Amino acid sequence: MENLVTIIELGAYSERQYQKQDGGTEYFKSRGVVMKRGGDVIYGEMIGDYASKNRDTQYYQNQPYVVKGFWKHRTWGDNNDRHENMFYITDLQTL
């Protein structure tokens, strides 16, 4: 997916440690972005190496950007009665 957006809010870069199934340690790297697309406000995250690469990148509010990414759905709860859509950012460039 590719869209024209403006940034409303930019989160700080974050690394969270977790334990892999094989017992090893890994870090989940992310940086969140709240964006406006037309009348819609959406939240997306840069993850992994892309988040690390852009940990100190300056993005400016109310400036147009082209965002590229993909949506992912997950279901959880005792009866799988909860749903969430998450937008993962793969590229964010000024217009």
Side-chain angles (χ1 to χ4, degrees), residues 30-59:
S30 67
R31 188 173 187 191
V33 183
V34 179
M35 301 164 281
K36 187 167 184 164
R37 181 190 71 179
D40 297 329
V41 175
I42 60 173
Y43 175 79
E45 272 189 338
M46 300 174 199
I47 59 171
D49 290 338
Y50 188 67
S52 294
K53 183 177 117 181
N54 289 288
R55 71 186 322 156
D56 296 320
T57 303
Q58 294 294 319
Y59 296 98

Side-chain angles (χ1 to χ4, degrees), residues 33-86:
V33 183
V34 179
M35 301 164 281
K36 187 167 184 164
R37 181 190 71 179
D40 297 329
V41 175
I42 60 173
Y43 175 79
E45 272 189 338
M46 300 174 199
I47 59 171
D49 290 338
Y50 188 67
S52 294
K53 183 177 117 181
N54 289 288
R55 71 186 322 156
D56 296 320
T57 303
Q58 294 294 319
Y59 296 98
Y60 301 98
Q61 292 180 340
N62 301 318
Q63 180 175 331
Y65 288 88
V66 175
V67 64
K68 294 179 184 176
F70 63 94
W71 291 96
K72 187 173 180 182
H73 170 263
R74 78 177 180 119
T75 305
W76 78 97
D78 293 338
N79 297 318
N80 288 330
D81 54 355
R82 302 284 313 251
H83 299 273
E84 175 184 63
N85 291 314
M86 181 64 190

Side-chain angles (χ1 to χ4, degrees), residues 20-31:
K20 298 183 343 183
Q21 288 182 338
D22 66 5
T25 300
E26 190 71 44
Y27 288 90
F28 180 76
K29 305 165 188 173
S30 67
R31 188 173 187 191

